[in-house]
Amino acid sequence: MLAYIIRRVAQSVLVLLVVGLVAFAMFRFVGDPVDAMLGQERTQADIARLTAELGLDQPFPVQYWRFLEQAVQGNFGLSYRQGRPVSEILVERLPATLELAFVSGLMALAGGIALGIFTAIWRRGVAANVIMTVSLIGVSLPTFLIGILLIYLFSVELGWLPSFGRGEVTRIGWWTTGFLTESGLKALILPAITLGLYQMTLIMRLVRTEMLEVLRMEYIRFARARGIRENSINFRHALKNTLVPVITITGLQLGSIIAFAIITETVFQWPGVGLLFINAIQFVDIPVMAAYLMLISVMFVGINLIVDMLYFAVDPRLRVDRTAGGH
């Protein structure tokens, strides 16, 4: 078990280094931050001075090494646009993204598993067929289009929910939350549905497919022949074995919620790190862009690492294989 964890952690660190290298290299072709920061009245002396201050006159390997050295310490430099520490800006924006991702992930996980079980057990019912038909909307429509449709229906036509912003928030230390205010909760509903709907439909269809496959197994038929109650068969035997392969895919989907929140935040003008990244691209704010990608990479890799550990703990076949391989 320890060797498995060490190997997975080493792989995760390697992935982060590669992501950082690719991101830092790509940003060199986004544009010239010096042109974006200086006005039309700039001189060659101003350009040379600012280039030296930003360290852009150094070779690429030197710039990348300095970036990694500072990033490990949580220092991503100064924002070219705001002139403030990037870490300070991320701390301000991160609570909004994490709260949106948490609510969306909870909705996707709970709704997907519950609906997947329902449509598998009562697969011939009218309700199950309606759910499967409606779920095609969540799979087929792009996220931004779902958001626009929800805004049109619930904000423009009905006027029930706000169409943009985070609403009123409460500060608890450095953390800001909208969970404690009515406007904050209302503002969270549409973005959370938009972000979580696609993931929920994928999880639902995966759970349904896996559970239907498990319900056809011989040991399920044997359990029915023994007279075990149907609810016990469905929830104690079938569901337990269904969730083993679902864990990995679910973890990837939850990681995608954080990574793809950028689209939802843009549609709803949600003040999170995704919207910050979009604005950084417009102003060629390379430190913010690099910090955002590194932050998302750390979250994504961390979630996948946790999922691998859970998969190893839940599936006894992996433990048996590792033990046998060790001998």
Side-chain angles (χ1 to χ4, degrees):
M1 179 66 175
L2 181 60
Y4 179 75
I5 294 176
I6 293 175
R7 183 166 59 253
R8 291 296 294 119
V9 170
Q11 291 173 355
S12 300
V13 172
L14 179 61
V15 169
L16 290 177
L17 290 175
V18 172
V19 169
L21 177 61
V22 172
F24 201 77
M26 288 177 57
F27 291 151
R28 292 168 61 88
F29 304 99
V30 172
D32 189 354
V34 175
D35 287 339
M37 296 174 68
L38 294 176
Q40 295 295 328
E41 303 298 328
R42 64 180 180 271
T43 63
Q44 286 299 123
D46 294 331
I47 295 175
R49 174 185 55 79
L50 186 57
T51 301
E53 289 179 359
L54 298 177
L56 299 178
D57 58 338
Q58 299 293 327
F60 175 76
V62 175
Q63 294 184 42
Y64 177 61
W65 175 254
R66 287 182 176 177
F67 169 75
L68 289 180
E69 190 176 33
Q70 296 295 321
V72 172
Q73 304 174 27
N75 180 16
F76 296 97
L78 296 177
S79 167
Y80 293 165
R81 178 191 178 193
Q82 301 185 33
R84 298 167 53 203
V86 175
S87 56
E88 180 180 312
I89 300 173
L90 290 178
V91 167
E92 292 178 357
R93 296 293 195 102
L94 194 58
T97 297
L98 291 182
E99 285 192 355
L100 176 60
F102 172 76
V103 175
S104 302
L106 190 62
M107 181 192 75
L109 190 59
I113 293 177
L115 292 175
I117 295 171
F118 179 85
T119 53
I121 296 176
W122 292 281
R123 55 189 175 278
R124 294 183 180 88
V126 176
N129 290 324
V130 171
I131 292 173
M132 292 302 297
T133 302
V134 174
S135 70
L136 292 175
I137 298 177
V139 175
S140 305
L141 292 182
T143 300
F144 74 90
L145 184 56
I146 293 175
I148 293 174
L149 291 175
L150 290 176
I151 290 174
Y152 176 76
L153 178 59
F154 292 101
S155 299
V156 178
E157 290 295 327
L158 299 177
W160 292 351
L161 299 170
S163 60
F164 66 92
R166 196 184 177 194
E168 185 181 354
V169 297
T170 302
R171 179 173 295 276
I172 303 176
W174 65 271
W175 188 273
T176 57
T177 178
F179 289 157
L180 303 179
T181 64
E182 182 180 356
S183 63
L185 291 175
K186 285 184 176 180
L188 186 60
I189 294 175
L190 293 185
I193 294 175
T194 302
L195 183 58
L197 186 60
Y198 177 74
Q199 317 299 337
M200 185 180 72
T201 52
L202 287 182
I203 294 173
M204 181 198 75
R205 288 177 168 271
L206 176 63
V207 171
R208 181 180 184 273
T209 301
E210 292 293 337
M211 193 159 187
L212 287 177
E213 184 176 345
V214 170
L215 288 173
R216 298 188 187 102
M217 296 291 183
E218 291 295 331
Y219 72 89
I220 296 294
R221 297 177 183 175
F222 179 70
R224 288 197 178 103
R226 289 179 57 194
I228 299 177
R229 290 184 305 173
E230 194 68 21
N231 285 339
S232 180
I233 292 174
N234 290 331
F235 294 100
R236 292 188 58 186
H237 298 280
L239 180 59
K240 180 180 178 181
N241 291 281
T242 296
L243 294 181
V244 172
V246 169
I247 288 177
T248 299
I249 303 300
T250 300
L252 293 175
Q253 295 306 316
L254 295 180
S256 299
I257 285 178
I258 297 177
F260 299 142
I262 183 173
I263 300 174
T264 303
E265 291 186 8
T266 304
V267 172
F268 289 92
Q269 289 298 294
W270 188 262
V273 292
L275 185 60
L276 176 68
F277 179 71
I278 294 296
N279 293 332
I281 293 177
Q282 296 176 353
F283 289 90
V284 200
D285 200 341
I286 294 178
V288 172
M289 291 189 286
Y292 170 82
L293 285 187
M294 289 300 296
L295 177 65
I296 296 302
S297 300
V298 168
M299 290 183 179
F300 203 95
V301 170
I303 290 174
N304 288 338
L305 183 60
I306 294 173
V307 168
D308 286 342
M309 299 298 104
L310 290 176
Y311 195 76
F312 189 90
V314 171
D315 194 347
R317 293 172 298 180
L318 288 178
R319 296 194 294 272
V320 172
D321 292 342
R322 299 291 176 185
T323 303
H327 293 298

